[in-house]
Amino acid sequence: MTGIQLNTYTEPAQLLAEERQKTKFPVREMTYYLDGGKKQTEELERIMASIERNPAFSNDDQYDLDKDQQREITFARVGELTKMILHTMNEAEAMKRVALINLLDPSTGTRTGVHFGLFFNSIRGSGTDDQFGYWVDKGAGSLEKFFGCFSMTELGHGSNVAGLETTATYDKSTEEFVINTPHVGATKWWIGGAAHTATHTVCYARLIVDGKDYGVKQFVVQLRDSDHNLKPGIAIGDIGKKMGRDGIDNGWIQFTNVRIPRQYMLMKYSKVAPDGTVTEPPLNQLSYGALVGGRVSMVYDSVQTAKRFLTIALRYAAVRRQFSSTPGEKETRLIDYTYHQRRLIPLLAYTFAMRASAEEVMNFYIKTTKQLQAVDTSNKTSLQSAIDDAKELFALSAGMKAFSTWATAGIIDECRQACGGHGYSGYNGFGQGYNDWVVQCTWEGDNNVLTLSAGRSLILSGIDAREGKRVGDAVSYMSREKELHTRKLNGRSLTDSKVLIEAWECAAARNIGVGADAYLALIAKGLNQAQAFEELSQQRFECARIHTRLNQVHAFFQSIEHANEQLKPVLTDLATLFALWSIEKDGASFLSSGYLTTSELDEVTTLVDSYNHKIRDQVIGIVDSFNLSDFFINAPIGNYDGDVYKHYFEKVTRRNPPRDHKAPYHDKIDAFFNRAVPEDEDLSEMDV
């Protein structure tokens, strides 16, 4: 090792400072682009500062807490967050605050979000104006002696909401519903807030009137009285430790003939008159608006969480040295290895694509929600238009939620592995971050189930497009299905955004077209719709996967059109890399669609390497533009100044002070080493 002059303690900070000097775009302008403008960035910074300065959110001990400690601290933080939300009286700002808390402490964000995002929004979205006003007056808006939870999933049913078994039987004589858990399998399960906190719940139960089952509806049920004692007929327990998010008091609930007034059924859509007359909406899914809102917010959460872990991994990669190709020279930094670039830089591009598509789905959600709230149900044309948009929103949000949360789970773990042994340390956040995150792939719609649902919708939309019927903007390319089937690269540039979008349209159109043909063939053989779609499960999944990636590619390129001119070069490089890397990952689809030949696919691989090398010098500037402070990053190897070993060592020794070198269980160690040694173990006379 002669000739090597290394100081791994002092060098990293200098290296990261040098990396920043390579940035060719205005970092602050990139932050504005990502946040939606200067005003939004300044607002986010103000909110972040207020959180960081609040002692309740101190997070130095975050990775050392047990379940009970997490529960206690989380509830204290819920109180502080609630004060912040109620103080602002601004829903948009409140949502931003909760989103940032989700990044810092997902348990607190979820525990608060269950009330405001699920319970409160269910009443607002599925209740009448009078019902909403009533529950606001009761304290649902201010959380005064009130906390709501959301009782949908059961021990025996999760994603299949239509199969839930809790019953709400109408008693005409008293104008009450009787809520009942018929057996253990119908126990409400995974209910956030139920174990310790909630006073009320929105309960999903089967409406039974005169012995007829009208399917699952929503009912408000009081769980605890003003002294927080359980109401008669209510049984509640704690489901205990989970894989992550232990700060949430998830519980189970059983109802034994619990009576509630008729007005406690949420009746914006389905209605039950005093005499038991039931009026049904034209589309039952209209009452599930709170779930759609949750899915849309999870796409945003995916972006924020991906930003955090990519910042850690890329800053670390820029300063960590490992091996040398030439004896006597300095070891190479991780970021300079071609394969390491391939592991992380495309994921950076992916995060930008998710952000752009999140903007699109959020705008569509806002537009559709307003349309549904204002729709005149007596106007058939207006109603049908609203229903069509609602169906498209359900499908779009399902696919986006599934593939974004899956992507972020993959990003967290790839970033962990890219940080080597230090990525495995609890103090660098990856372990808790992954465990806290992956529930997003399951709750509010299991990702596989959502994907199959989205694929089903896409195949039906493909058939509608062939018949000249109205289809949503997201699948409008299917109206050009025949033309797309004939398109090929034909010598055009694989770095042209229009060519890349067209390539993805061809792949998506082929998948949906194949699915539509197969579906129609199965129907012609006598299968019913459900049977046909079950046979096409894999094709449905592929349709949703390719369509969602097309949506992300298109949204990313489209978002660049309105960006600052100084940002366009690096953004275009990122978007091009994302589209090319995605083609490389999915080469079979482009070969089978006929758009690319094998030699052209080889060119894609060469271009991916080229764009990774091109973007390499910009990655530190890019992650800096994410604008996350060390407090929100909460990983010493990802700190802004790059002094990774200093911060990491200090964190470990601060949390585990080397005062007593004897273990807390030293008596057991002592007993083992000083145990009586049997004669056949006595080696003292061994002659070596």
Side-chain angles (χ1 to χ4, degrees):
M1 298 293 286
T2 56
I4 299 178
Q5 300 295 320
L6 283 179
N7 187 333
T8 55
Y9 186 73
T10 58
E11 185 192 38
Q14 178 185 342
L15 291 176
L16 201 60
E18 291 172 358
E19 286 293 326
R20 289 197 170 96
Q21 296 302 313
K22 299 175 183 177
T23 305
K24 295 180 179 178
F25 62 89
V27 172
R28 191 66 175 172
E29 287 296 329
M30 183 68 85
T31 303
Y32 296 157
Y33 163 81
L34 290 167
D35 293 341
K38 180 180 178 182
K39 181 179 178 181
Q40 286 82 350
T41 293
E42 291 173 347
E43 182 182 20
L44 286 171
E45 288 175 335
R46 177 177 57 79
I47 294 171
M48 285 191 285
S50 71
I51 294 170
E52 190 166 343
R53 293 169 183 171
N54 189 317
F57 296 102
S58 174
N59 61 0
D60 189 58
D61 62 351
Q62 182 167 327
Y63 304 129
D64 288 315
L65 302 175
D66 63 27
K67 175 175 70 69
D68 293 337
Q69 291 171 323
Q70 286 188 55
R71 292 272 181 92
E72 183 177 350
I73 288 175
T74 297
F75 187 72
R77 290 174 172 178
V78 167
E80 289 298 312
L81 179 56
T82 300
K83 289 178 190 175
M84 293 177 178
I85 290 172
L86 297 179
H87 176 72
T88 65
M89 299 305 288
N90 179 318
E91 188 168 0
E93 180 177 328
M95 289 174 66
K96 291 176 183 177
R97 194 173 291 275
V98 172
L100 286 166
I101 291 294
N102 269 332
L103 185 64
L104 176 71
D105 176 9
S107 289
T108 297
T110 301
R111 205 159 164 176
T112 310
V114 164
H115 172 83
F116 287 109
L118 293 177
F119 177 87
F120 193 73
N121 277 348
S122 289
I123 295 175
R124 178 163 58 180
S126 299
T128 64
D129 290 342
D130 286 344
Q131 287 178 318
F132 181 58
Y134 174 84
W135 289 110
V136 168
D137 290 342
K138 283 284 188 180
S142 59
L143 290 184
E144 296 174 27
K145 297 182 179 180
F146 198 108
F147 206 99
C149 65
F150 190 73
S151 297
M152 185 177 76
T153 55
E154 296 176 354
L155 187 57
H157 278 95
S159 295
N160 183 16
V161 178
L164 297 175
E165 297 177 90
T166 301
T167 57
T169 305
Y170 186 57
D171 183 344
K172 295 181 194 175
S173 65
T174 60
E175 293 189 23
E176 293 175 316
F177 291 103
V178 182
I179 311 296
N180 197 48
T181 302
H183 52 74
V184 171
T187 302
K188 293 298 179 182
W189 201 264
W190 286 114
I191 312 306
H196 303 146
T197 315
T199 60
H200 294 71
T201 191
V202 167
C203 177
Y204 279 62
R206 310 196 72 79
L207 171 63
I208 310 294
V209 181
D210 292 332
K212 183 178 178 180
D213 185 338
Y214 287 89
V216 176
K217 313 300 177 188
Q218 299 173 72
F219 304 82
V220 180
V221 183
Q222 187 170 352
L223 303 175
R224 294 177 167 96
D225 62 22
S226 57
D227 292 323
H228 223 61
N229 296 312
L230 294 179
K231 296 283 286 181
I234 302 291
I236 287 179
D238 190 334
I239 67 167
K241 188 166 179 60
K242 307 176 291 289
M243 184 173 171
R245 303 199 188 212
D246 275 329
I248 307 168
D249 56 330
N250 292 89
W252 56 261
I253 308 173
Q254 292 176 342
F255 306 93
T256 303
N257 300 321
V258 177
R259 288 181 170 268
I260 61 171
R262 180 183 64 87
Q263 295 87 344
Y264 281 20
M265 174 182 166
L266 299 181
M267 295 196 198
K268 182 173 185 177
Y269 301 108
S270 296
K271 297 177 173 62
V272 177
D275 65 359
T277 301
V278 179
T279 306
E280 292 278 57
L283 185 67
N284 282 325
Q285 292 97 316
L286 293 175
S287 61
Y288 298 163
L291 292 177
V292 176
R295 291 169 189 168
V296 172
S297 70
M298 279 191 267
V299 182
Y300 268 103
D301 287 345
S302 298
V303 176
Q304 287 296 98
T305 300
K307 285 179 182 179
R308 178 190 172 199
F309 290 103
L310 281 163
T311 298
I312 299 168
L314 283 164
R315 284 178 177 167
Y316 182 70
V319 302
R320 172 73 173 190
R321 292 188 182 277
Q322 197 85 317
F323 303 114
S324 173
S325 58
T326 305
E329 291 190 359
K330 281 187 176 182
E331 294 177 279
T332 303
R333 283 185 285 165
L334 297 180
I335 194 65
D336 290 324
Y337 285 107
T338 298
Y339 189 67
H340 208 81
Q341 292 173 9
R342 271 186 161 274
R343 294 174 71 182
L344 296 179
I345 296 177
L347 300 182
L348 188 65
Y350 200 161
T351 301
F352 275 75
M354 284 196 290
R355 187 211 69 86
S357 56
E359 287 285 328
E360 279 199 352
V361 74
M362 176 59 81
N363 290 336
F364 186 38
Y365 169 69
I366 293 170
K367 172 197 161 192
T368 304
T369 301
K370 288 180 178 178
Q371 185 180 6
L372 289 171
Q373 289 172 344
V375 69
D376 178 3
T377 55
S378 64
N379 184 325
K380 291 185 178 180
T381 302
S382 174
L383 179 61
Q384 188 58 51
S385 176
I387 289 173
D388 287 343
D389 283 347
K391 286 180 178 178
E392 184 179 1
L393 176 61
F394 273 101
L396 182 61
S397 64
M400 288 301 302
K401 182 265 184 185
F403 290 103
S404 295
T405 55
W406 266 329
T408 298
I411 286 170
I412 296 170
D413 195 52
E414 188 61 43
C415 287
R416 174 191 69 80
Q417 294 183 54
C419 291
H422 297 328
Y424 194 65
S425 167
Y427 296 114
N428 287 315
F430 293 105
Q432 183 170 315
Y434 184 81
N435 286 344
D436 284 343
W437 178 259
V438 289
V439 69
Q440 301 268 32
C441 302
T442 303
W443 64 10
E444 296 196 39
D446 174 87
N447 280 1
N448 285 283
V449 175
L450 290 179
T451 302
L452 293 177
S453 176
R456 177 185 183 278
S457 178
L458 287 167
I459 288 172
L460 292 176
S461 291
I463 294 170
D464 285 345
R466 288 178 177 180
E467 297 174 354
K469 296 179 182 177
R470 177 186 182 270
V471 295
D473 290 342
V475 289
S476 60
Y477 61 90
M478 284 305 297
S479 63
R480 297 180 282 114
E481 182 186 2
K482 288 183 179 179
E483 175 197 344
L484 290 171
H485 283 339
T486 66
R487 302 295 288 171
K488 298 182 185 300
L489 182 61
N490 285 335
R492 291 176 294 164
S493 173
L494 274 165
T495 62
D496 184 329
S497 62
K498 292 180 181 178
V499 170
L500 290 169
I501 291 170
E502 181 184 85
W504 278 98
E505 286 181 337
C506 287
R510 179 191 175 277
N511 264 281
I512 295 174
V514 168
D517 290 338
Y519 171 76
L520 293 173
L522 290 169
I523 292 296
K525 288 181 179 180
L527 276 68
N528 62 36
Q529 188 179 76
Q531 292 169 332
F533 277 124
E534 176 57 28
E535 290 291 319
L536 294 174
S537 294
Q538 183 60 31
Q539 189 62 42
R540 288 155 62 196
F541 185 92
E542 291 301 308
C543 286
R545 186 173 63 82
I546 301 297
H547 170 79
T548 302
R549 188 57 58 96
L550 162 62
N551 182 276
Q552 292 168 332
V553 169
H554 184 268
F556 193 175
F557 278 119
Q558 194 170 48
S559 72
I560 297 172
E561 294 177 9
H562 308 291
N564 181 300
E565 289 297 323
Q566 293 173 288
L567 302 179
K568 286 184 177 180
V570 67
L571 287 173
T572 301
D573 287 344
L574 285 165
T576 304
L577 171 62
F578 175 66
L580 289 167
W581 173 76
S582 298
I583 289 173
E584 183 186 50
K585 290 278 186 184
D586 223 333
S589 292
F590 295 86
L591 292 175
S592 59
S593 72
Y595 195 85
L596 295 179
T597 63
T598 53
S599 61
E600 289 166 342
L601 198 56
D602 289 340
E603 184 186 350
V604 169
T605 297
T606 301
L607 285 169
V608 169
D609 283 335
S610 174
Y611 273 87
N612 279 329
H613 291 319
K614 188 177 182 182
I615 295 167
R616 176 254 178 267
D617 285 351
Q618 307 307 305
V619 295
I620 296 304
I622 292 169
V623 297
D624 284 353
S625 75
F626 293 163
N627 206 26
L628 296 174
S629 68
D630 291 347
F631 178 80
F632 280 89
I633 292 294
N634 198 14
I637 64 169
N639 278 15
Y640 181 85
D641 65 8
D643 219 343
V644 296
Y645 304 120
K646 173 178 178 290
H647 295 307
Y648 184 25
F649 185 79
E650 288 177 350
K651 175 81 171 184
V652 170
T653 53
R654 184 170 65 251
R655 297 304 310 159
N656 305 273
R659 298 188 187 118
D660 188 349
H661 295 286
K662 289 186 177 181
Y665 51 92
H666 176 72
D667 57 331
K668 293 181 175 58
I669 295 175
D670 185 65
F672 172 76
F673 283 118
N674 293 293
R675 70 193 186 282
V677 180
E679 287 186 19
D680 60 357
E681 285 189 32
D682 187 357
L683 305 178
S684 60
E685 301 301 321
M686 181 184 293
D687 184 13
V688 179

